[in-house]
Amino acid sequence: MSVTSSQVREMSRPCDLCRRGKRRCDGPEQADRACSRCKQMSKVCSYVDPAEHNRAARHAYITALESRLETVEALLQRHVPDAVLMHELGILAMNTTPASAHQHGTYGGEVVPEAISSFRALEPWDEAIALSHQHPGHDSLDRQALLHSAQQKRRPEFWCTLNYEFRGERLEDRDLDLVLPPPDRLASLTQAYFDHWNPNFPIFHRALFEQQLLNNKSAPDKKFTVAVLLACALGESRLTNYTDHTERGQQPSGWDFFLHVEPFLRVPTPAHPQLLDLQIFFLATLYTAFIQHNFVAWTLFGTAIRLAYLADAHRRDKYNRQQPNLLDELWKRTFWVLVVVDRMGASFYGRPLMMKDESFNLDLPLEVDDTCWDIGAPGFPLRNTPVTKQGSISFFVWHIQLVLILGVSIQTIYSINRSRLLMGFVGSDWEQRITSKIDLMLNAWAEDVPVHLRWDLNATDLPRFCQSSFLEARYHTLRISAHNPFMRTTARDFAYAAPSSRTAAGLTSSLAICTASAVACSEVVVGVVERFLAVFCGLGGSTRHSSAVSYF
């Protein structure tokens, strides 16, 4: 008996399991046609061929697509000549349509849908068809004539800006009275800003800022002038005693500068934000928060965040990681400042985060001093000198790492149940696992913090002492915030506690940690106050205005 070619292929094909795994099959070589792989896996070695069904399905799908394409070609050929259509699409004309289909408006025995004829009711379409008949092959002429005809027939009510619609205007187009203070006062105000505000929120590079300030005299830039006036407002708030305008009826320090730039804050946000846009809205946020206009500050801060995301400042790909430059660093610093303020504000007011960890992936700022940047070279690259890490940016970077740990606490311990479920903290021991994770992160931070940022009561360098005191106090407050919800002090609290903390160890652990951290934090504050008490009394001011405790 002869064997056909199809039977040979059927006998030599692999089994279904080996075919799906694309492995060699020895089933056809066996007497029972059961391959060794199926026997090893205790599977039934079958030879049901699903490929024929797949090929049939693909063939039917291709046939349907061809039918639909031929129907569309027949429809278009009724309105547009073949030569013009095929040349416009960049396809060689293949006149395979039966003549009867063109004469009777049918193709393949199907009537062309009559709904398509409604397109001919549009006058520009009719004119385009007439022009294409008059000038076959002149595609550019047809397009220009069609565009000109369509523009003439536009209905103005859909193309003009109505009165109730908002029309944005640029800052450059606004007639703002932006006048800088006299040079001597300007120097003292900017000095106060860089002494008291910029170390905590390093959105400016001082040498570059002063260079731009000199250039602004010869070629004034309104946007940079707005940033300078806001910096002056913040600097004046530190030079003069703060007055509670809500009680005494007096305007706060720096209010005159803020009134000059307030119209700019009402300008619509730009489509392509610049670094100055982020800096301006953040400076306005700082000032309005300082004078206790919290709701205005919250709105301005939200605008700054949206501008940062609109400028892709949250993406790592935006920055040149191979050749660092100062402009990229200022973008990163400004974005991280927004992250810090967002998390500190969320912790203070009990609000959810606006900038969560999964929404950004940029690197931390480079831990180099500002003197390491060459502002005289194009692009402001790093100098070819040894990098110094004991500057104010080092403090800011380690503060960011503490704030990231704070974000973990906010999104787990102080979040709703759904957020904890999404992060995998479920079960009866979720409290212990969260606190253990945060404790490990805090311990790792404390072990890795540089020596010049470790708290030392006898430190002689005043700025380093203030920065290390702030980090030490922040470290202990974070530990308290992580354990405070699980601290049980009464029998009733212990009765209503979670099962994971209804043990003597669970009761005393959080209480002991919070007590020890509170004592340590109090020692830091007392050490700072005792060291600068004579300075406070001599200035006649409060601790709120001293550079020593401005970090707190």
Side-chain angles (χ1 to χ4, degrees), residues 445-497:
W445 180 91
E447 293 176 359
D448 297 337
V449 67
V451 177
H452 67 278
L453 292 178
R454 297 180 184 272
W455 187 64
D456 182 9
L457 183 60
N458 301 319
T460 57
D461 191 348
L462 177 60
R464 296 291 177 268
F465 176 77
C466 297
Q467 293 174 356
S468 62
S469 301
F470 172 81
L471 293 179
E472 184 74 9
R474 179 64 64 184
Y475 166 79
H476 291 294
T477 54
L478 285 183
R479 192 176 290 277
I480 293 175
S481 66
H483 287 272
N484 182 57
F486 313 119
M487 183 175 58
R488 317 299 176 185
T489 59
T490 64
R492 182 178 180 181
D493 293 338
F494 183 75
Y496 285 97

Side-chain angles (χ1 to χ4, degrees), residues 321-362:
R321 305 175 68 188
Q322 303 298 329
Q323 298 178 350
N325 59 84
L326 180 56
L327 293 181
D328 283 353
E329 285 302 305
L330 291 177
W331 271 103
K332 290 196 295 184
R333 294 180 189 179
T334 306
F335 185 87
W336 280 114
V337 163
L338 298 179
V339 175
V340 169
V341 174
D342 175 41
R343 306 208 169 186
M344 295 180 65
S347 175
F348 184 79
Y349 293 105
R351 295 175 177 173
L353 298 179
M354 292 190 292
M355 308 174 72
K356 297 185 178 181
D357 293 337
E358 60 270 17
S359 64
F360 54 86
N361 66 345
L362 77 164

Side-chain angles (χ1 to χ4, degrees), residues 178-187 189-190 217 225 228-229 232 257:
L178 301 176
V179 180
L180 294 176
D184 54 346
R185 190 184 181 197
L186 177 62
L189 292 177
T190 54
K217 296 179 180 179
T225 306
V228 173
L229 291 175
C232 291
F257 295 111

